[in-house]
Amino acid sequence: MLKARPTLPVVLLLIGCGSVAHAQSMADRAQAAAAASRARTSSSASLLQNVVTPGLSGQPISTVDGKTSFTPALECEKSAKWVELLAQPSSTGDLGTVTISRDTNFDGSFDTALTLPMPVSGICANGIISCTPGTWNACKDYQWGVDGAGTLKLTQVDMPNLTSCYCINNSCGTDLAWTNMASVLGDLGGGVIGALTTAEPRYGAAQASINGPVIDYVGAQSTACTSSPAVSQAAYASNPTAIQGDAAAQASSNSIFQMLKGSPAGTGKVAETRSCTIQRQVTVTSPGYDDIVTATGSFESVTSCGAGCRIYRIGGTGNCDDPPPTFTGRFTVAKPDRLLSARLTDIETADFLQARVNGTIVASAGEGPWMTDALPSDCGTGDNHSAAPNTDLVPMLRRGTVSVNARIHAHGSHKSGYLEVRIEVDTGCEATEDLADLCSGYEGQSQCQLLSENVDGVDTVVGGVHTGLTPLPQTRMFGSASCTLSLTRPFFERDRQYRCVADSGTTPEPDLSRGAYIIDHSTETLLADQTKAADGTVTTTSAAFSMPSEPSVPACEAICKTRAPVINTAAAPAGVTGSQQNDPTGWNTYYHTCSTDNVCPAGPGEEVVSACGCLDEFPEAAVMMQSVRLAGSDLTCNAGTAP
């Protein structure tokens, strides 16, 4: 039942009342303003006719007294239904039907429609995932976009290009789409609106409303009034963080904001909302060869044998004396897991060369074997000898520093010799991870309760209640152009809000003594007051007081009920519904707002069922809504199998 409300005189005076005689009292002026306002806004029909409709359509609006009018320009071009998205879940839990209608020229009617040719198994902030219905197999990833003609499209991309994805079909749970329909529509529609507004910053979604499986967006084109599309608001499209600084600058110069910020309500609260994050921090590095292997000693040469590979030649000039000279190379590996290969590969000598690793003889070359500490007897023959022992040094290098010695026993014109060590390492990219948990302090406090949680863009907790949605593992790219890694992890960032009960002393208690005095000592005709000076002196006063008489208002907005006959022409797979009925004629029921002279404005062919008055149709409306709800439940199989 609709009831009229008395209008506040102060507000009406601000709207504009025209000139009145100064001889009138304040109460008389307020009564006159209220009467003028009721004449224009006392009913929903008059409010729509005089204020709402002209305001939205750009027609003139006049002040309460009718002497002044102006033409508002809220937006030069707008559409009450800019984008409409319909999503219908199927028995597999996927969205079997998704239709997007759009008003591209803001003339108030849809001119394009897009029906997705694939089922929607998962939803992302900027796209969708389509799999074999009811499963998470053979999935394809699509991203929302707009082509050169401004037409909405889906482009197949790799998974890392999508963000905040989650599964909605039966492979992840039962009835996820139905249970979270509002959230599903918001995420799906948000991706569509994001693509449209990113492609054209002049477009904006002013309002979104959800009705069952449909979400409607009210749209506007901010720069349609000017020939140039460049306006200050469009700058935030490419630099959204600038709006925070601009807002802070406005707030710092606003006296009302600063007053509220410094008030007890702004500085101390019984319950505080605290935000924190759990973030996976990834650092990608590419170590060089010298970061992995350190080599010092008697090297005749060090040469490269490819990326991450070096050959060390250890040797010099020998003699046939005792003891023979020894040439040493020392190797230390800082990152053992990066060591791919390390071998003693070649030996070249004039007479004899003995190779030792950490003091142990491992190989030799010469006129004969030299595998003992004793010296060979036939030194100085001058012949060239070689060997390829291919000794594996990896196990010893991974345990610590390794010394490789070349003992040369030679004489004559060919007194030199050497051995070669070949070391190969992995210089590819590597990632180090650290989980920075800034929520651990709140999670362990008994006075803190988890209020909301967003995992990589997916709302898992809203208002302290788990939504049942679980984000899919995310794949992201890290590093630079020269060193890039793709990592897949269960999550990368959790944004949380906790509601924590603060100490009772954080909120200063207000002084209620003055209000208590006024209430305790005032009457219907006497207003008592008590004030306190800066020095603490208390002063009490009293004065005559009277309230102006309240104007009479109707008990309700008078309405009437009518009906008109109608033939059932609805169609179904079996044919026209009316042909299946005994009597295809039914009734359409209408409700009209009565005129000021209490006349029911019945339409053509309508007959009055209930005359003008305060009608109470709530029981009938409740029965109708319950019938529609139960009928909808019968039409939707959301669990089990149909009999």
Side-chain angles (χ1 to χ4, degrees):
M1 181 166 55
L2 303 175
K3 293 187 177 181
R5 296 181 178 178
T7 311
L8 295 175
V10 176
V11 177
L12 297 174
L13 290 174
L14 292 176
I15 296 176
C17 303
S19 61
V20 294
H22 290 287
Q24 288 181 313
S25 65
M26 181 66 71
D28 293 336
R29 294 169 62 188
Q31 293 286 1
S37 176
R38 285 196 300 272
R40 296 180 59 81
T41 62
S42 59
S43 66
S44 58
S46 59
L47 186 64
L48 286 171
Q49 179 181 355
N50 298 322
V51 179
V52 178
T53 300
L56 294 178
S57 60
Q59 300 174 2
I61 297 178
S62 60
T63 55
V64 173
D65 59 3
K67 296 181 180 180
T68 304
S69 62
F70 63 94
T71 301
L74 302 179
E75 291 290 352
C76 299
E77 286 187 3
K78 48 196 168 293
S79 175
K81 281 192 175 183
W82 175 40
V83 176
E84 180 180 86
L85 189 149
L86 167 67
Q88 184 67 38
S90 65
S91 60
T92 60
D94 306 84
L95 299 183
T97 301
V98 176
T99 302
I100 305 169
S101 303
R102 180 180 163 210
D103 179 8
T104 60
N105 54 7
F106 291 91
D107 63 353
S109 60
F110 294 134
D111 45 45
T112 63
L114 171 65
T115 299
L116 301 190
M118 74 285 287
V120 178
S121 309
I123 297 177
C124 305
N126 59 341
I128 65 169
I129 300 174
S130 180
C131 310
T132 302
T135 71
W136 203 252
N137 301 324
C139 297
K140 296 181 179 180
D141 309 311
Y142 298 90
Q143 184 176 6
W144 293 110
V146 177
D147 61 17
T151 303
L152 189 67
K153 66 176 182 178
L154 279 174
T155 304
Q156 188 170 349
V157 297
D158 294 331
M159 183 66 176
N161 292 284
L162 303 179
T163 59
S164 305
C165 301
Y166 58 93
C167 170
I168 61 172
N169 67 13
N170 289 348
S171 67
C172 304
T174 305
D175 290 341
L176 287 178
W178 280 118
T179 306
N180 300 278
M181 181 55 70
S183 176
V184 168
L185 288 173
D187 294 340
L188 195 60
V192 173
I193 297 300
L196 295 175
T197 55
T198 300
E200 179 51 82
R202 293 182 299 167
Y203 295 160
Q207 183 182 358
S209 59
I210 297 176
N211 183 16
V214 177
I215 183 170
D216 293 314
Y217 290 91
V218 177
Q221 190 173 193
S222 300
T223 59
C225 300
T226 62
S227 57
S228 173
V231 292
S232 58
Q233 297 94 323
Y236 296 126
S238 58
N239 187 18
T241 57
I243 196 171
Q244 298 179 357
D246 295 346
Q250 290 291 331
S252 62
S253 60
N254 187 283
S255 59
I256 297 178
F257 179 86
Q258 295 301 323
M259 179 183 65
L260 293 174
K261 181 180 178 182
S263 67
T267 57
K269 300 179 180 179
V270 175
E272 297 179 348
T273 300
R274 301 174 183 176
S275 301
C276 61
T277 60
I278 303 175
Q279 192 173 43
R280 191 181 304 275
Q281 299 175 344
V282 179
T283 302
V284 178
T285 58
S286 177
Y289 184 94
D290 293 328
D291 297 326
I292 302 172
V293 178
T294 301
T296 58
S298 304
F299 299 126
E300 287 188 341
S301 64
V302 179
T303 58
S304 173
C305 50
C309 180
R310 291 183 185 178
I311 297 176
Y312 299 88
R313 177 172 291 185
I314 305 170
T317 301
N319 57 49
C320 290
D321 300 330
D322 186 12
T326 300
F327 304 94
T328 304
R330 294 177 179 85
F331 304 92
T332 303
V333 178
K335 298 177 180 292
D337 57 317
R338 289 273 176 167
L339 184 61
L340 300 179
S341 174
R343 293 185 177 277
L344 174 61
T345 57
D346 296 302
I347 298 177
E348 298 288 340
T349 184
D351 286 331
F352 291 93
L353 188 150
Q354 186 180 79
R356 297 192 179 195
V357 178
N358 286 344
T360 302
I361 303 172
V362 296
S364 68
E367 292 290 340
W370 183 20
M371 301 300 290
T372 65
D373 291 335
L375 298 178
S377 59
D378 52 350
C379 179
T381 60
D383 295 329
N384 292 326
H385 302 280
S386 64
N390 201 27
T391 304
D392 188 7
L393 306 179
V394 170
M396 289 176 284
L397 281 172
R398 286 180 174 171
R399 290 195 297 266
T401 300
V402 173
S403 296
V404 179
N405 302 327
R407 297 181 67 200
I408 302 176
H409 190 55
H411 186 66
S413 60
H414 303 285
K415 298 186 291 184
S416 64
Y418 64 84
L419 60 80
E420 289 184 345
V421 175
R422 186 179 189 275
I423 299 178
E424 184 178 357
V425 298
D426 179 11
T427 58
C429 301
E430 66 177 0
T432 57
E433 299 183 29
D434 181 29
L435 203 61
D437 187 356
L438 302 182
C439 299
S440 57
Y442 302 133
E443 192 170 0
Q445 296 182 13
S446 58
Q447 65 269 32
C448 292
Q449 178 187 7
L450 182 60
L451 185 63
S452 66
E453 181 185 58
N454 183 281
V455 182
D456 291 336
V458 178
D459 291 326
T460 57
V461 178
V462 176
V465 179
H466 289 271
T467 63
L469 299 175
T470 302
L472 299 174
Q474 299 288 305
T475 301
R476 296 186 181 180
M477 306 297 293
F478 295 93
S480 59
S482 60
C483 186
T484 303
L485 281 180
S486 176
L487 299 180
T488 301
R489 297 293 184 268
F491 76 94
F492 285 93
E493 183 172 350
R494 294 178 183 267
D495 296 309
R496 289 179 174 178
Q497 282 190 331
Y498 287 86
R499 179 184 287 118
C500 299
V501 178
D503 295 336
S504 58
T506 58
T507 303
E509 296 184 3
D511 183 7
L512 304 178
S513 59
R514 182 182 181 188
Y517 182 86
I518 295 174
I519 294 174
D520 294 340
H521 296 81
S522 298
T523 65
E524 294 180 356
T525 59
L526 181 68
L527 177 62
D529 196 3
Q530 173 182 275
T531 57
K532 182 183 294 185
D535 58 359
T537 304
V538 177
T539 303
T540 60
T541 60
S542 62
F545 173 76
S546 63
M547 289 286 293
S549 59
E550 295 184 0
S552 60
V553 295
C556 68
E557 182 180 35
I559 60 174
C560 60
K561 178 180 179 181
T562 64
R563 69 175 186 176
V566 62
I567 301 297
N568 191 348
T569 59
V576 178
T577 305
S579 64
Q580 312 293 323
Q581 299 174 330
N582 295 331
D583 184 1
T585 303
W587 298 92
N588 279 346
T589 301
Y590 306 92
Y591 293 89
H592 300 281
T593 301
C594 296
S595 61
T596 55
D597 54 355
N598 215 32
V599 175
C600 180
E606 299 178 19
E607 62 180 58
V608 177
V609 178
S610 300
C612 293
C614 297
L615 301 184
D616 184 2
E617 299 290 333
F618 180 79
E620 183 177 348
V623 172
M624 290 181 178
M625 290 188 291
Q626 181 73 347
S627 300
V628 172
R629 186 187 71 83
L630 293 176
S633 298
D634 290 341
L635 293 174
T636 304
C637 297
N638 53 20
T641 57

